[in-house]
Amino acid sequence: MKLEGLNEKQLEAVKTTDGPLLVLAGAGSGKTKVLTTRIAYLIESGVEPYNILAITFTNKAAKEMKERIFKLVGEVKDIQISTFHSFGLYLIKRHYNLLGYERNFTILDGDDSLVLVKNIVKEMGLNSDDYNPKAIRNKISGAKNELVDPFEYEKYATTDFEEVVCKVYKKYEERLKSNNSVDFDDLLILPIKLFSTFKDILKMYQERFKYILVDEYQDTNRVQYILVNMLAAKYKNICVVGDNDQAIYSWRGSDYRNILNFENDYPSLKSVMLEENYRSTKTILNAANDVIKNNKIRKDKNLWTKSEEGPKIRYHRASDEKDESYYVVNEIKNLLYDGVKRENIAVLYRTNAQSRNIEEAMLKENIPYKVIGSFYFYNRKEIKDLISYLKLIYNTNDDISLVRIINVPKRGIGDKTISNLSDKSFKLNKSLYDVIDSGKELTFKNTIEELRELSNNVSLTELIDLILDKSGIRKDLESEKSVDAEIRLSNLEEFKSITRTYEEANDSVSLGDFLEEISLVADINEHKNETNVVTLMTIHSAKGLEFDYVFVIGMEEGLFPHLNSMETEDLEEERRLCYVAITRAKKKLWLVNAKRRMIYGKTDSYLPSRFINEISDEYLEKDEVNKVKYENTTTDDYKYGDKVNHKIFGLGVIVGIDERDLTIAFGSKYGIKKIAKGHASLRREEDA
């Protein structure tokens, strides 16, 4: 096997075969190449493939690793290269009897486990409105991933809700066992229980897997951390590869401290830092370094490259979100005119809801695109549900819309009821709506009637709020208490920006005209060419990818960094997210924001993201009119970034200042508010 293609540090990581090894691999530094070459080197050095365990986070990464090893040393049998969950299943299948399961045990996916929780809640006679099954399932999953069983959970349950969770948790685990089933969390938890209970089994696998490699170690959670270190405890031939500066998944349980504390776990470790970048220009890397060095909780490193300087990063401050979108699309058109292929261009944003304006601008300019990591805005379930409410309010003969939403949110109206209504509708030759005369479906009909009556006297934007409130959709999503529910609620709130914009653009506004307008956009979305397209995606979805030309939009305080992430550790994760965004670009990068933006149906002024101001001016090409510095924005001794306390809204952070008012981010519950500077209910946090 030839090693000529490796740089000095990469070669060091490959040839360090024994003992604990920490490889801090910066963005674009060739970590996958190092991992696969190291495995091949171990094999050629005499290590049996049977004794090697390599763990990744995705099936795609595992497959790529296997393909690269094949190219290096040919076909290798008995080597274990898999995801964490696949490896967990591998162990459970071999020792199911010791864990109290039968051979034919089944695995419950997320939907299956939720159904089980719902059934238990129902059996216990609990009101699902008060005790949301999804919220309960999320609590159970969180407890399991902290290795907290129902009996230990009981010790810490202090609220009524937590006590209910504890009771459901106990029954949930009992039911899994009696059904000979495991859930997705169990795939990692049961191996730990196996190793903790049967020390001889643990010793057997410690002897089997003498060499362990873990990819993306900064993304491991507590359970994954414990499992890996149990296996590595005897021989300590463990190599972890990762980048603390790209730890962006704390919201799903990942703990970046695992990689930061690796040297504490293995004091005798060797550490190799991969800082040479093979992806980006010097300018892009220097900008990324400028941003990330402001984080305090990190292992210091500085990316560099032998590549050319490259063009300066283009910074554009648009007037509003529409101007932002058309600026980006116009720049993309220029790139395409110059011969750049669409697949080499990406637009990145902080939240899914931001894609709407870009999508609409792309559609109008006939530029094919695809949205990664989410549905097209108008095709997202929650948006289609909301539009169906509007359609039924407008036309009660719309049976398709009625069937879609009659049980959204859940009202206990099942398929049998809908089937009976359909039969009745057919016999009487009436719409489904017209034949509703009793039961829970009548309550739904009464809600629609009320909304129809109100729609005659309110604006479209106000009607959206009424639908979300009176239907129960808003309450249902708020009670779920999950990241997914927050995203869906954010998308629904963002829909008000569409109605508000429509109202501002049209003198005469009718529900029928509006529905026609958005139907045309939605129809176009259904017939999109998926080959050779511009990529639109969240920054989270972009991790691990690269593009020649990258646009990062929405670079404003309150949006990026997000208003929910103004505290120290959360802010550092937002900065790591910015670092990830910048380092996706190979040749040229655009950073774009808007002076004013409509968020959740309300237009406000926003200051440029602090991340832009952390980049040295020598790496930025700014529009002359857009040279904005927030550091000097002070008025009446208030300044940007000050923490304040409001009697009703609680703790907030100042994200905007004008002559009379302060724009303050109060978190997800209250969002962004504009409050007069001298308001009696507002105090500085240090004075509060």
Side-chain angles (χ1 to χ4, degrees):
M1 183 183 65
K2 296 181 179 180
L3 302 175
E4 288 85 353
L6 302 174
N7 64 41
E8 183 181 345
K9 289 295 182 180
Q10 289 175 331
L11 193 62
E12 185 181 1
V14 167
K15 288 187 171 184
T16 304
T17 57
D18 295 326
L21 174 66
L22 170 63
V23 181
L24 284 172
S29 62
K31 72 174 178 67
T32 305
K33 183 178 182 180
V34 167
L35 265 175
T36 52
T37 307
R38 189 173 188 272
I39 293 171
Y41 186 80
L42 283 169
I43 295 170
E44 291 207 341
S45 300
V47 175
E48 290 293 331
Y50 181 79
N51 295 133
I52 299 173
L53 169 65
I55 303 179
T56 69
F57 272 85
T58 66
N59 290 316
K60 180 183 176 184
K63 183 182 178 185
E64 182 183 356
M65 196 175 291
K66 290 174 184 176
E67 290 172 349
R68 290 198 184 197
I69 292 170
F70 176 79
K71 288 180 180 178
L72 289 169
V73 294
E75 187 175 356
V76 179
K77 295 181 179 180
D78 297 326
I79 191 171
Q80 186 74 31
I81 301 175
S82 62
T83 65
F84 272 103
H85 289 93
S86 296
F87 178 62
L89 179 59
Y90 166 84
L91 295 171
I92 297 168
K93 285 170 69 176
R94 280 153 181 76
H95 305 283
Y96 60 86
N97 56 328
L98 296 177
L99 292 164
Y101 293 90
E102 297 177 18
R103 182 188 294 272
N104 63 336
F105 70 89
T106 55
I107 304 169
L108 273 63
D109 62 19
D111 290 338
D112 292 332
S113 62
L114 179 59
V115 169
L116 180 55
V117 170
K118 287 179 178 177
N119 291 339
I120 294 169
V121 168
K122 187 177 180 181
E123 290 168 10
M124 293 174 62
L126 299 171
N127 188 330
S128 59
D129 290 334
D130 298 327
Y131 301 100
N132 185 285
K134 285 190 178 180
I136 294 173
R137 172 68 183 105
N138 291 336
K139 282 284 189 182
I140 292 173
S141 181
K144 293 180 77 164
N145 280 287
E146 288 295 322
L147 295 176
V148 176
D149 64 28
F151 302 98
E152 190 174 357
Y153 189 91
E154 190 174 21
K155 298 175 184 176
Y156 304 103
T158 55
T159 66
D160 289 342
F161 182 75
E162 288 175 342
E163 288 176 0
V164 168
V165 170
C166 184
K167 292 176 182 176
V168 176
Y169 189 3
K170 287 179 181 177
K171 290 182 179 293
Y172 177 83
E173 291 294 283
E174 291 169 1
R175 198 66 57 83
L176 281 178
K177 213 59 177 295
S178 65
N179 291 342
N180 194 34
S181 299
V182 300
D183 65 15
F184 211 63
D185 296 324
D186 287 328
L187 295 181
L188 297 179
I189 295 166
L190 289 176
I192 292 175
K193 289 182 178 178
L194 176 72
F195 291 160
S196 299
T197 308
F198 303 96
K199 301 298 184 183
D200 56 330
I201 301 291
L202 173 60
K203 289 178 181 178
M204 181 180 75
Y205 283 105
Q206 287 174 338
E207 288 296 330
R208 162 87 191 269
F209 300 119
K210 295 178 181 178
Y211 293 87
I212 299 171
L213 303 92
V214 186
D215 192 16
E216 303 286 7
Y217 195 66
Q218 79 280 350
D219 293 333
T220 53
N221 62 19
R222 176 172 168 78
V223 176
Q224 292 160 341
Y225 166 84
I226 292 172
L227 180 60
V228 165
N229 285 284
M230 288 178 87
L231 286 167
K234 183 176 183 179
Y235 290 100
K236 296 181 172 56
N237 294 325
I238 177 172
C239 168
V240 301
V241 181
D243 182 7
N244 57 285
D245 289 332
Q246 296 187 73
I248 58 174
Y249 296 118
S250 67
W251 49 274
R252 67 183 191 194
S254 301
D255 190 346
Y256 68 94
R257 288 168 293 193
N258 290 344
I259 195 168
L260 294 176
N261 294 333
F262 189 73
E263 59 188 311
N264 297 329
D265 297 326
Y266 301 92
S268 64
L269 93 165
K270 183 171 186 175
S271 182
V272 177
M273 198 168 293
L274 305 183
E275 296 176 294
E276 184 176 358
N277 177 283
Y278 295 91
R279 176 186 298 159
S280 307
T281 65
K282 285 186 174 69
T283 297
I284 291 169
L285 291 185
N286 288 336
N289 289 328
D290 276 357
V291 171
I292 202 63
K293 70 183 182 184
N294 290 279
N295 272 3
K296 307 298 182 197
I297 310 172
R298 64 186 293 263
K299 290 185 181 292
D300 192 32
K301 64 177 181 298
N302 201 61
L303 289 181
W304 62 275
T305 182
K306 295 176 182 176
S307 301
E308 60 183 13
E309 288 289 335
K312 287 188 176 184
I313 296 165
R314 185 73 180 270
Y315 168 51
H316 180 81
R317 185 157 171 79
S319 58
D320 56 28
E321 67 269 32
K322 289 286 187 183
D323 185 31
E324 174 189 62
S325 296
Y326 278 98
Y327 169 78
V328 170
V329 170
N330 190 60
E331 290 291 293
I332 290 173
K333 285 173 66 179
N334 291 337
L335 289 172
L336 298 177
Y337 182 80
D338 291 338
V340 174
K341 293 183 177 179
R342 289 189 286 267
E343 63 258 33
N344 294 330
I345 305 171
V347 181
L348 310 182
Y349 36 81
R350 176 63 179 82
T351 64
N352 278 313
Q354 290 172 256
S355 74
R356 179 181 61 82
N357 282 303
I358 291 289
E359 287 185 60
E360 290 186 353
M362 291 284 211
L363 288 168
K364 290 182 180 179
E365 295 297 329
N366 294 313
I367 299 175
Y369 69 90
K370 62 180 177 182
V371 180
I372 301 294
S374 66
F375 297 101
Y376 297 115
F377 186 84
Y378 290 107
N379 288 348
R380 291 165 187 147
K381 179 185 180 303
E382 62 274 15
I383 299 301
K384 291 179 80 73
D385 289 342
L386 181 55
I387 292 172
S388 290
Y389 267 97
L390 290 170
K391 287 182 176 179
L392 192 60
I393 290 168
Y394 180 66
N395 177 16
T396 58
N397 291 324
D398 188 342
D399 287 348
I400 295 174
S401 292
L402 184 145
V403 170
R404 180 179 182 89
I405 61 171
I406 194 169
N407 203 37
V408 176
K410 300 294 184 184
R411 301 185 176 91
I413 302 173
D415 292 340
K416 187 176 180 181
T417 299
I418 295 171
S419 178
N420 291 337
L421 285 175
S422 297
D423 291 341
K424 193 174 179 179
S425 169
F426 179 78
K427 288 177 182 177
L428 298 176
N429 194 28
K430 292 182 177 180
S431 69
L432 293 175
Y433 189 90
D434 286 338
V435 299
I436 292 174
D437 58 10
S438 63
K440 295 174 181 176
E441 54 271 32
L442 182 58
T443 304
F444 165 75
K445 183 177 180 178
N446 291 336
T447 300
I448 298 297
E449 283 296 317
E450 183 183 5
L451 288 167
R452 293 187 73 206
E453 184 67 27
L454 291 168
S455 69
N456 297 320
N457 302 305
V458 299
S459 68
L460 284 173
T461 305
E462 290 169 333
L463 180 58
I464 300 302
D465 271 325
L466 287 169
I467 291 171
L468 296 179
D469 288 332
K470 292 186 177 297
S471 68
I473 290 175
R474 194 195 308 273
K475 181 182 177 182
D476 184 67
L477 290 174
E478 287 176 345
S479 67
E480 187 175 316
K481 296 180 173 49
S482 70
V483 174
D484 180 60
E486 287 183 11
I487 291 170
R488 283 183 282 146
L489 190 58
S490 173
N491 288 332
L492 288 168
E493 293 289 341
E494 179 62 17
F495 193 85
K496 292 190 293 189
S497 298
I498 302 173
T499 57
R500 183 68 56 81
T501 301
Y502 182 79
E503 288 168 333
E504 291 173 353
N506 296 276
D507 295 328
S508 177
V509 177
S510 76
L511 178 56
D513 291 340
F514 175 72
L515 288 170
E516 286 180 12
E517 176 94 356
I518 61 173
S519 293
L520 290 172
V521 176
D523 282 343
I524 296 172
N525 274 333
E526 296 287 347
H527 302 94
K528 194 171 308 300
N529 181 12
E530 292 293 323
T531 60
N532 191 18
V533 293
V534 176
T535 301
L536 313 182
M537 62 188 352
T538 65
I539 304 168
H540 283 100
S541 299
K543 188 171 177 289
L545 303 177
E546 59 184 40
F547 301 89
D548 288 345
Y549 304 92
V550 173
F551 298 80
V552 185
I553 64 172
M555 296 284 292
E556 300 127 41
E557 291 292 312
L559 190 56
F560 192 26
H562 197 271
L563 64 90
N564 295 339
S565 305
M566 295 299 185
E567 297 300 317
T568 305
E569 283 205 26
D570 290 338
L571 182 59
E572 292 215 348
E573 179 150 332
E574 289 289 292
R575 188 173 281 111
R576 292 194 294 271
L577 192 59
C578 183
Y579 175 82
V580 167
I582 291 171
T583 54
R584 297 313 92 194
K586 296 167 68 176
K587 294 181 179 180
K588 189 169 182 178
L589 174 68
W590 287 256
L591 303 177
V592 190
N593 58 26
K595 296 176 184 176
R596 294 176 62 80
R597 183 180 299 275
M598 184 182 292
I599 299 179
Y600 305 155
K602 183 181 179 183
T603 299
D604 268 315
S605 299
Y606 295 94
L607 291 167
S609 170
R610 69 190 71 195
F611 303 145
I612 292 172
N613 290 274
E614 290 171 356
I615 300 172
S616 171
D617 282 347
E618 68 178 292
Y619 308 128
L620 292 175
E621 178 188 354
K622 296 186 179 182
D623 297 335
E624 287 297 318
V625 297
N626 297 323
K627 290 185 177 180
V628 180
K629 291 287 185 180
Y630 66 79
E631 293 94 336
N632 299 322
T633 306
T634 59
T635 311
D636 299 337
D637 76 358
Y638 280 111
K639 66 181 185 295
Y640 166 84
D642 276 353
K643 291 183 180 179
V644 293
N645 209 314
H646 191 276
K647 287 183 179 179
I648 297 174
F649 307 134
L651 184 65
V653 179
I654 295 175
V655 296
I657 301 173
D658 61 28
E659 190 174 330
R660 296 183 303 172
D661 300 318
L662 302 172
T663 302
I664 305 171
F666 286 106
S668 57
K669 186 174 182 180
Y670 296 107
I672 295 175
K673 304 286 185 183
K674 185 168 283 190
I675 299 173
K677 291 173 182 172
H679 202 282
S681 61
L682 194 66
R683 293 183 293 167
R684 292 183 183 279
E685 172 60 10
E686 58 264 30
D687 300 329

